[in-house]
Amino acid sequence: MFWKFDLHTTSHIDQLLDREDVTLKELMEEDDVLQECKAQNRRLLLFLSQDHCMQELVSLITTEPPADLEERSRFKFPNVACELLTSDVSLINDKLGGDESLLEMLYHFLEQDPPLNPLLASFFSKTIGNLIARKTEQLITFLKKKEGFIGLVLKHIDASAMMDLLLRLISCVEPASLRQEVLQWLNEEKLVQRLTELIHSGKDEERQSNASQTLCDIIRLSRDQANQMQENVESDPLLAVIEMQETVAGLLKNMFEGERSETSIVNGTQVLLTLLETRRSGLEGLMDLYSQGYERSYTVSSSILNAIESHLKDFQQVLLDPPKKSAILTTVGVLEQPLGNARLHVVRLVAALLQTTSPTICQELCNLTTMDLLLDLFFKYSWNNFLHFQVELCVSAVLNHPSASDPQTSVHNALVAHLFQKCRVIFLRGNMGHLTRIANMVVQNLEKGPVQTQIADLIKELPEDCRGRWESFVDETLRETNRRNTVELVSTHNMHSSSEDDDMEGPFPNDLSLQQTFADYQIQQMTANFVDQFGFNDEEFSEHDENINATFDRIAEINFNLDADDNSANAAAFEACCKERIRQFDDAEEEEDIWEEKEINYATQAKSRTRWIEIISDEPGNL
């Protein structure tokens, strides 16, 4: 048995700790130092929690290593130090969170001039994040005393680790009362307004991108936590400020102020799209802005729509005159004027706005003939599926509007009329898949939909030749296209039983039958009868004496039917091969009896050995 032997080996770390002059870096050189720390090695934890060791660990994650070190080992000790500080050991957490001098060393890292080393910034963010989760009250109390904390974090927002730090402050603070206190503190520091100001053409791209992503994450986290709370709790002050019309208007002003920049337009539009996001009920944790059911857990605030409405002309101008981009080489040739990310985000915004059921938004889009412009871009960039999908969503939002059947929604009816009369959506031509989907959408709404009557009346108002071409297209071209698109990917007409193999008329009947046979074999292996089919039953493995010979009895009953006189072609071939390979002996020679006793003569062997010795002795250097 294994426990008879003492296989336990003493850790090398314990051996190092036996030395009085052992250093922290000597311990950090050991591969299992982190494992021993998480395993609550008492001697190691007591050593690490000493003041000079904790100071050295904090210094390693906040001080730039010397540049002359080898690159692969330059950040080895800072990485190990970060893992030790965030190993979630209560002794280390208590020491780090309860010693204000250590917190001051950590905070000093933010006071450096930008840019921060991204790796050290990640170590710092991870360490602070661990303290936020484990020593919440101590850390929040310390940070509140620092008046410039938020300013320093935003100063280094170009490092993604600072963005993560802000999100940890918002989402990882427990209990709820303390979290509300932190949110109120961040709101008093005007976090949202400061982030909004960073989305400006005068700021660098990394700073704008991280500020935009931070705002988007704040919106999603705040809404998710509000939905998860069953009891009535105070509203999130950060979310309330973001959804204010004044805040949205300030964001839009920064986007279009001065020289238009694709970066500021894209990042600002991402925040607007997040504000317009709605969650489908029944799909927990999934965002689906373009669901056909239009089920929402909340409605979009009118203040957001009012702020966007006043800047729809600016978005329209982006579609007409986008930020300049150089020509690009594509697989279909050179594209002199690419669509660009800015215009694509504007189209996404239009698709989201059309689903808000806002009459004023629909009216303004109709006045600006935005749908007509989108369809022009649809055909101009015939290979851009991202654009095509968004335009399809726009058409779907107009045709499947949930309140379109309400006679009071004259604004939306005007948008539907604009789609058929001005944009002439039923005269779109092309072989693109999205065009087929749009045509099917029109046909489906003509048969049954919220605007069925209006679409039928609009088609009747068309000239007779136009109406005839539409009907011909639906009956012939569209039907044939749908038939081709709905071909079964896996044909089952050749799948018959083995008794019907002779009647199969498929192109590869033999291959199909072989595949089916192999599949049956695999399934057979997994059935419960496999052991029985193999030739043994459960009772034959019984330990009872009366059944001990059962297996051997069955083996003894096996009959081998061998025909020794069989002169088949295989036997003849075997004999011929043997005759070619085996040398025939002469029968005339006297056969030698291998068992006959003979005198052993060593003369030949001795002579050979003597000659070999003489050869070696004659070689130079052997004497």
Side-chain angles (χ1 to χ4, degrees):
M1 297 299 176
F2 290 108
W3 52 82
K4 291 183 180 180
F5 304 96
D6 185 11
L7 299 179
H8 178 72
T9 58
T10 304
S11 172
H12 190 241
I13 290 181
D14 290 331
Q15 298 176 7
L16 289 175
L17 292 172
D18 291 336
R19 292 169 38 196
E20 295 183 358
D21 59 343
V22 64
T23 63
L24 177 62
K25 289 192 175 181
E26 285 180 326
L27 291 172
M28 295 173 67
E29 286 281 3
E30 297 298 319
D31 295 335
D32 58 343
V33 61
L34 182 60
Q35 179 181 354
E36 290 291 324
C37 181
K38 291 184 177 180
Q40 305 286 334
N41 187 321
R42 188 66 180 174
R43 296 182 63 194
L44 177 61
L45 294 181
L46 290 175
F47 181 85
L48 294 177
S49 59
Q50 297 180 82
D51 291 343
H52 70 279
C53 290
M54 292 296 296
Q55 292 175 2
E56 187 174 355
L57 289 173
V58 173
S59 177
L60 284 171
I61 67 171
T62 57
T63 306
E64 188 86 17
D68 56 349
L69 293 178
E70 189 177 357
E71 188 63 28
R72 66 177 182 177
S73 60
R74 187 181 176 204
F75 289 96
K76 176 183 177 179
F77 289 124
N79 180 50
V80 176
C82 176
E83 294 298 325
L84 290 173
L85 291 173
T86 59
S87 58
D88 202 14
V89 177
S90 57
L91 189 60
I92 295 179
N93 291 338
D94 294 341
K95 183 66 176 178
L96 185 59
D99 192 337
E100 190 165 340
S101 62
L102 295 176
L103 295 178
E104 288 287 352
M105 290 181 64
L106 282 172
Y107 187 80
H108 181 67
F109 177 75
L110 293 175
E111 297 176 344
Q112 301 180 31
D113 294 331
L116 297 175
N117 183 290
L119 197 54
L120 293 181
S122 66
F123 295 155
F124 168 83
S125 176
K126 186 176 181 179
T127 304
I128 294 293
N130 181 69
L131 292 177
I132 291 174
R134 300 304 178 192
K135 293 295 176 182
T136 310
E137 293 185 7
Q138 294 92 322
L139 184 67
I140 297 302
T141 302
F142 173 80
L143 294 179
K144 281 186 175 182
K145 296 178 182 178
K146 303 295 183 180
E147 296 182 359
F149 170 69
I150 299 299
L152 290 175
V153 172
L154 295 180
K155 177 182 177 182
H156 302 293
I157 197 64
D158 54 325
S160 58
M162 297 299 106
M163 177 180 65
D164 296 337
L165 177 59
L166 286 176
L167 296 179
R168 288 177 184 272
L169 277 174
I170 295 171
S171 61
C172 297
V173 175
E174 295 292 342
S177 57
L178 183 57
R179 176 180 179 273
Q180 192 69 23
E181 182 181 341
V182 171
L183 293 178
Q184 192 64 41
W185 167 55
L186 294 176
N187 187 39
E188 292 174 358
E189 293 289 332
K190 298 188 180 300
L191 175 62
V192 172
Q193 292 86 338
R194 292 184 178 185
L195 288 171
T196 304
E197 292 174 357
L198 293 177
I199 305 177
H200 191 278
S201 58
K203 305 295 182 179
D204 59 87
E205 294 186 7
E206 288 295 330
R207 195 175 298 273
Q208 291 189 57
S209 177
N210 289 341
S212 172
Q213 188 62 47
T214 303
L215 287 171
C216 293
D217 290 339
I218 290 175
I219 296 169
R220 294 190 180 104
L221 288 172
S222 300
R223 288 176 174 176
D224 288 345
Q225 293 188 356
N227 289 335
Q228 292 172 3
M229 292 293 185
Q230 299 297 331
E231 66 276 5
N232 293 328
V233 295
E234 297 183 38
S235 60
D236 191 320
L238 296 180
L239 180 62
V241 171
I242 295 176
E243 292 180 339
M244 289 175 55
Q245 182 173 347
E246 180 183 357
T247 304
V248 180
L251 173 64
L252 290 165
K253 180 182 177 182
N254 292 337
M255 291 169 55
F256 297 107
E257 190 176 38
E259 183 180 0
R260 283 183 301 174
S261 167
E262 182 178 72
T263 302
S264 59
I265 294 174
V266 169
N267 290 308
T269 305
Q270 287 178 347
V271 179
L272 298 177
L273 288 171
T274 307
L275 288 171
L276 297 175
E277 278 180 352
T278 55
R279 185 186 299 276
R280 289 182 61 186
S281 61
L283 291 179
E284 183 178 358
L286 295 179
M287 288 289 184
D288 189 357
L289 178 61
Y290 309 115
S291 62
Q292 294 296 325
Y294 294 92
E295 298 172 343
R296 294 185 174 88
S297 58
Y298 56 87
T299 57
V300 178
S301 174
S302 59
S303 59
I304 301 173
L305 298 176
N306 292 336
I308 296 177
E309 180 189 352
S310 60
H311 286 82
L312 285 178
K313 293 182 179 179
D314 296 323
F315 287 109
Q316 179 87 350
Q317 189 60 34
V318 172
L319 293 176
L320 294 172
D321 184 21
K324 301 300 181 182
K325 296 183 68 69
S326 58
I328 60 175
L329 178 63
T330 66
T331 56
V332 294
V334 177
L335 193 60
E336 296 295 339
Q337 186 181 12
L339 176 69
N341 205 13
R343 286 199 284 187
L344 181 60
H345 273 72
V346 171
V347 178
R348 290 181 59 195
L349 180 64
V350 173
L353 289 172
L354 285 172
Q355 300 184 52
T356 59
T357 70
S358 172
T360 54
I361 292 290
C362 293
Q363 182 63 57
E364 185 65 18
L365 291 175
C366 188
N367 295 338
L368 294 172
T369 65
T370 303
M371 287 300 302
D372 199 4
L373 178 57
L374 294 185
L375 291 173
D376 289 341
L377 294 175
F378 185 99
F379 289 100
K380 181 178 180 180
Y381 299 96
S382 58
W383 299 100
N384 195 320
N385 284 335
F386 298 103
L387 171 65
H388 298 170
F389 177 66
Q390 297 301 326
V391 174
E392 180 189 344
L393 292 177
C394 293
V395 176
S396 176
V398 174
L399 297 181
N400 296 301
H401 201 289
S403 61
S405 57
D406 188 351
Q408 297 181 358
T409 57
S410 57
V411 174
H412 180 266
N413 292 339
L415 189 59
V416 175
H418 175 78
L419 188 63
F420 279 84
Q421 293 176 348
K422 300 293 183 181
C423 303
R424 302 175 69 84
V425 69
I426 65 173
F427 296 111
L428 302 179
R429 290 292 182 268
N431 297 321
M432 291 177 287
H434 290 92
L435 279 179
T436 302
R437 291 165 61 93
I438 291 175
N440 285 323
M441 198 183 307
V442 174
V443 173
Q444 291 171 5
N445 281 273
L446 184 59
E447 296 174 353
K448 183 181 179 180
V451 289
Q452 175 185 6
T453 305
Q454 185 181 4
I455 293 177
D457 294 339
L458 290 171
I459 293 179
K460 288 180 181 179
E461 296 175 0
L462 296 174
E464 185 176 353
D465 59 334
C466 296
R467 190 168 60 251
R469 281 185 293 166
W470 164 252
E471 294 174 354
S472 175
F473 168 76
V474 172
D475 295 337
E476 298 175 5
T477 306
L478 185 60
R479 178 175 298 179
E480 176 62 20
T481 302
N482 290 333
R483 186 192 65 79
R484 292 197 307 267
N485 292 340
T486 55
V487 173
E488 296 181 4
L489 296 179
V490 179
S491 177
T492 59
H493 70 279
N494 285 327
M495 298 296 181
H496 301 287
S497 63
S498 58
S499 61
E500 301 175 356
D501 286 345
D502 296 338
D503 299 332
M504 293 175 62
E505 297 182 356
F508 307 106
N510 294 331
D511 291 347
L512 290 176
S513 61
L514 290 175
Q515 292 176 6
Q516 185 64 33
T517 302
F518 180 68
D520 294 341
Y521 167 72
Q522 288 181 311
I523 296 174
Q524 181 181 3
Q525 286 184 312
M526 301 305 295
T527 59
N529 298 328
F530 173 71
V531 176
D532 297 335
Q533 296 173 1
F534 186 76
F536 298 98
N537 297 322
D538 293 339
E539 61 271 11
E540 297 177 16
F541 293 95
S542 175
E543 296 180 358
H544 300 293
D545 294 339
E546 59 272 13
N547 292 331
I548 192 169
N549 295 322
T551 301
F552 298 98
D553 293 341
R554 290 197 55 183
I555 296 176
E557 295 174 0
I558 299 176
N559 296 322
F560 295 93
N561 184 15
L562 299 177
D563 189 359
D565 298 330
D566 186 9
N567 294 325
S568 62
N570 293 335
F574 178 74
E575 292 293 339
C577 182
C578 290
K579 291 179 180 179
E580 293 178 359
R581 298 293 182 182
I582 301 177
R583 180 175 60 86
Q584 297 295 332
F585 293 94
D586 189 359
D587 296 337
E589 297 180 359
E590 183 181 358
E591 294 183 359
E592 181 181 2
D593 187 359
I594 62 175
W595 303 107
E596 182 181 358
E597 295 183 1
K598 297 181 180 180
E599 182 181 358
I600 301 176
N601 188 357
Y602 296 97
T604 305
Q605 298 180 6
K607 184 177 180 180
S608 300
R609 188 180 298 113
T610 304
R611 185 177 301 167
W612 177 72
I613 295 174
E614 292 176 355
I615 293 174
I616 294 179
S617 62
D618 290 341
E619 293 181 2
N622 291 329
L623 298 178

